[in-house]
Each structure stands twice: as structure tokens, then as C-alpha cells.
Amino acid sequence: MKLPQRALRRVKLLVLRVAQPPGRLFVRLMALGARRESPGPGDGEARPRVSFLLLNAYGVGGTIRTTFNTAGWVARTHDVEIISVVRRRDAPALPFPDNVKLSTLDDQRRPPGLFGRLPSAFVCPEDYGFRACSLRTDIALARRLRTLPPGILISTRPGLNVAAADLVPEGVTLVGQEHMNFLSHRSGLVRRIRRKYPKLDALVVLTQGDLDDYRRMLSGAKTRVGRIPNALPVLDGQLAGLDDKVVVAAGRLRLQKGFDLLIRAYADVARAHPDWKLRIFGGGEEHDALEALIERLGLRESVSLMGATRTLQEELPKGSIFVLSSRYEGFGLVIIEAMSHGLPVVSFDCPRGPSDIVDDGENGILVPNGDVPGLTRALLELIEDDDKRHRYGTAAPRKAHEYDMSNIGPQWDSLLAELR
């Protein structure tokens, strides 16, 4: 008899929970021969060293984009390297910052071999990046971290934060970053976070809600917890005219982003204003299900899945409203990008991020999380009120300016100086 999906997942988690500890011991033994790098030509001559540990620097996503952005800023005063845990293509999909070195641990363009077919022993199975990793990834990660010279390592997701906490050598200051919110983590990952995050020297979060949660959790630990929002990438500054009858949404086509909710909300908008169109940019596993939903609701003429794009900054100014329908977020950098082009925002007030960015009634509208009829009403409000749409759009770039790298970058400078 076939096990139900949920029961099967529990069995897999139980097996991994038993198998991971001996697997971690094996990985450590495999990394014993790795020799530590020299710190540089004289303690006073070398620039301070900062490494960023990123799951996949060759992909597309908010964490990748903001890590590149931060690394480029830090490289003004530090020797900076981005360590990509995995690699699946020949070159990064996003523009890579100048004066930053890029290295890879597990080049998955080559055959996996035995260790590449075995599950990771260091990355928590309930981290969403677990499936990208393997025992081969672990061995490469352990060897690389063991060889790091003194400096600062900034790790960029929970699964890597907890792994690095067990692997970095003495003399390396470990900074964990949270690009998703505390409430979105699965229970097994939360348990591991509670055990391992006290080993971090610092934890950087994006929102006030996460700052409060992690400070409570790490009360009494040595870990310094601070908030540094994601910075706005350098954009062309083109402003939308707000007269094109286009609503724009963007993100990975996955359940988290709530595009199924948005499409349902847009059905009544399409009936009231068939001349307005919804364009959703992004690719992902929900594409076929969303296409079927569009067909079922008779929205083929009104809603388009535009696919993934590397030129979102050229598409945003073609819209007149930006909408975010996520069930949860880590921050919502795309909101700031839309605002920088003068788009008013309609967003679910999901945990976490939108309420830190959108000033309800000034540059956008916050809708109770998951309230599909409320999302419909908010879209109609801005579609039908030209004055309000333009007023909110005029206010949006002023809000976006708060997240310019010229304002966010110095916060990183201060943190790194204090940690050194």
C-alpha cells in the first residue's frame, strides 16, 4: 500500500535525522587534510577580507541580487569573494559586481558521482535549499570553510548559517543573514536554528518583526542581532507614466508568491475593466497550474504569464500599478524596485516586509493577508481613481530612496568595522 504524501515525508525526515550525525562525522574526516590559506602579505598590508556564502550565485532571485549588491559595496574597502555552494550554468544570470571574486564549491554541471547522489548531512532537510545540496556539496563546503584565513564570513540562508556555525575555524567571524522571515521556517529548521544560531557572531535580519523575534530567541547569547534592510540596486531611474492600463506582478511562480490568489482577485477587475491587463513576470513550478487557472476563469485575454526576465527594470515602467500577492515574504525588494519607478503598490500585508515598506494611504494600499476580495477592491480603487494613482505614484520614489545603497551601505560598513 502506498503511503500518503505527508506520512512519506515524515519517514524521510526521520531517516535523515538518524543518518545526518554520522554523515557529518564522515564529512569532517574527509576535510581533515585541507590546509588553511595564508592571511595575506603582512597583517597591516592586506585589506580586510569578507566572504559571502551563497547557495547559487548563478541563479535568479532576490537573495542573489541583494548579495551581489552588498558585495559590490563592501568591495570598495575590503577584499571580497562570493562563494557559490552550487553551480549549474556557465556564467551568473545576473550582472556580477566589479572587483569581487567568484568561486564555486560543487559544480553540478559535471556528473554527480556517488557522493553527489547522497543527501546532505549538514544542511537541514527542512531548509528549502536542502534538495540542491548533497554529501559532495558538504565535503566541498567543509574543506573550503576549513581553509578560510582570518576574516568575516557572511552566510545568506538558514541551512548554510547552521552548517557554517559547525565548520568555520577560529579567527573567522561568522555573520548569518536571514532573507526569509522567522515565521516561515519549518519546525525542524527552527529547532536547529535555536541550537546553532548562538554560535554566530552576528545575525542580520531584514524587518522589525524578525529583529524582535530573533532578539527574544537569542537573549543571553553572544550573537549580536541587527537589522539592515536590503538595498535598492542601481537602476536607470525611468519613471512610469501611470496611464498605461497595465498591472504588473513579479516573482517565482511558486505557492509562496500567491499568484493563484492574485489571478482569482483579478477576475472581477477584468470584468469591470477589460481594457486593463495583468502581467506576471517569473518562472517556476506553478506555471502550468496558473495557466490552467487563467483558462478556467476565462482570463486568457486579461492575464498573461510573461515568463522569467532579466530586464524587469524595463518592464516595470510600462505598468501603472504594482501588486504583491505573497502569502509570506522575507522582505519584498521587488516592492522597492517598483516604487523606484514611480509605481503605486497594492500588497497583501503578509509576514513580513510589506508593512515595513508600504505606507498605507500614501504610496500604496495594504490589504489584510489572504483577503482576495480586498485585493480586488484595492486594485479597482487605484484603477478607477486617476488622481489617487498618480498621487501615490509620485510619493513612491521618495520611499524607495530610503533604500538606496548610499543609505544602506554605511550600515554594513559600521557592522563590519565593529566586528573586526
Side-chain angles (χ1 to χ4, degrees):
M1 187 178 75
K2 214 172 180 180
L3 281 173
Q5 196 67 27
R6 185 174 293 183
L8 184 61
R9 181 172 175 272
R10 286 177 180 168
V11 170
K12 287 180 178 178
L13 286 174
L14 180 60
V15 171
L16 286 167
R17 196 173 295 133
V18 172
Q20 279 197 324
R24 288 195 285 271
L25 177 59
F26 173 76
V27 169
R28 286 193 175 95
L29 291 173
M30 292 291 290
L32 281 178
R35 294 182 176 275
R36 197 166 189 182
E37 296 176 32
S38 168
D43 293 340
E45 298 173 22
R47 297 204 306 171
R49 179 164 179 155
V50 175
S51 301
F52 289 83
L53 186 63
L54 190 59
L55 180 63
N56 182 7
Y58 295 82
V60 177
T63 299
I64 302 166
R65 196 160 68 250
T66 195
T67 300
F68 286 5
N69 198 23
T70 304
W73 174 271
V74 173
R76 294 156 49 258
T77 53
H78 297 71
D79 287 334
V80 177
E81 176 184 21
I82 292 176
I83 303 170
S84 183
V85 175
V86 302
R87 178 179 185 177
R88 294 171 181 162
R89 62 174 67 188
D90 293 337
L94 298 175
F96 194 76
D98 295 333
N99 302 318
V100 174
K101 180 183 175 184
L102 176 61
S103 62
T104 301
L105 301 181
D106 182 5
D107 189 343
Q108 297 184 353
R109 295 172 300 172
R110 58 189 175 88
L114 174 61
F115 293 159
R117 292 187 176 92
L118 295 175
S120 169
F122 268 97
V123 178
C124 179
E126 295 190 86
D127 182 280
Y128 292 103
F130 173 76
R131 294 177 67 180
C133 301
S134 66
L135 197 64
R136 185 174 83 175
T137 306
D138 291 344
I139 294 168
L141 177 64
R143 286 174 172 166
R144 184 70 182 89
L145 295 189
R146 184 180 174 85
T147 66
L148 283 177
I152 295 173
L153 176 67
I154 301 173
S155 180
T156 56
R157 66 177 306 120
L160 297 180
N161 296 343
V162 298
D166 280 340
L167 293 171
V168 291
E170 289 291 328
V172 174
T173 299
L174 179 58
V175 180
Q177 265 192 297
E178 281 283 355
H179 287 277
M180 193 44 70
N181 77 73
F182 180 76
L183 302 175
S184 69
H185 295 324
R186 295 165 172 169
S187 59
L189 180 57
V190 171
R191 287 193 294 272
R192 199 169 293 191
I193 284 171
R194 290 185 185 279
R195 291 199 308 271
K196 301 298 182 180
Y197 273 24
K199 292 185 175 183
L200 302 177
D201 295 288
L203 175 67
V204 176
V205 301
L206 302 176
T207 65
Q208 184 61 45
D210 265 17
L211 183 65
D212 295 339
D213 282 346
Y214 279 107
R215 277 183 171 167
R216 278 193 294 270
M217 189 189 79
L218 294 168
S219 175
K222 66 163 187 174
T223 308
R224 174 193 178 123
V225 184
R227 174 179 177 252
I228 303 179
N230 285 338
L232 186 68
V234 177
L235 305 175
D236 60 15
Q238 182 183 356
L239 295 178
L242 302 188
D243 294 314
D244 293 320
K245 297 180 178 181
V246 175
V247 178
V248 180
R252 287 281 299 168
L253 303 186
R254 55 174 32 145
L255 191 65
Q256 173 210 337
K257 297 298 182 180
F259 291 127
D260 56 323
L261 306 179
L262 173 57
I263 291 166
R264 290 187 175 92
Y266 202 79
D268 285 342
V269 175
R271 281 189 280 273
H273 297 278
D275 49 342
W276 277 75
K277 309 300 179 186
L278 170 62
R279 297 175 182 168
I280 301 173
F281 292 89
E285 61 270 18
E286 290 288 308
H287 179 275
D288 291 349
L290 294 175
E291 282 281 16
L293 180 60
I294 291 168
E295 191 71 43
R296 190 163 66 250
L297 296 177
L299 296 175
R300 183 62 56 199
E301 299 301 316
S302 298
V303 180
S304 299
L305 300 182
M306 308 296 292
T309 178
R310 299 184 189 183
T311 59
L312 182 61
Q313 305 312 320
E314 298 174 13
E315 301 297 338
L316 288 170
K318 298 175 185 177
S320 293
I321 300 168
F322 181 81
V323 58
L324 185 131
S325 55
S326 297
R327 291 175 164 88
Y328 60 90
E329 277 289 341
F331 181 61
L333 181 62
V334 70
I335 296 176
I336 302 170
E337 292 174 329
M339 284 181 160
S340 74
H341 290 289
L343 268 68
V345 173
V346 171
S347 175
F348 279 144
D349 188 10
C350 66
R352 283 169 163 152
S355 62
D356 286 9
I357 303 168
V358 179
D359 299 313
D360 189 40
E362 293 184 25
N363 46 45
I365 301 174
L366 288 172
V367 177
N369 195 28
D371 182 356
V372 171
L375 195 65
T376 301
R377 289 192 296 271
L379 289 168
L380 288 172
E381 185 177 335
L382 292 186
I383 287 172
E384 295 172 355
D385 191 333
D386 289 349
D387 289 343
K388 182 176 287 187
R389 187 170 72 250
H390 281 80
R391 189 168 69 251
Y392 287 7
T394 299
R398 293 197 295 271
K399 183 67 175 186
H401 178 68
E402 296 177 14
Y403 297 90
D404 281 352
M405 185 52 90
S406 60
N407 294 320
I408 302 300
Q411 298 179 44
W412 278 105
D413 292 340
S414 297
L415 175 64
L416 296 178
E418 291 172 16
L419 291 173
R420 282 202 306 274

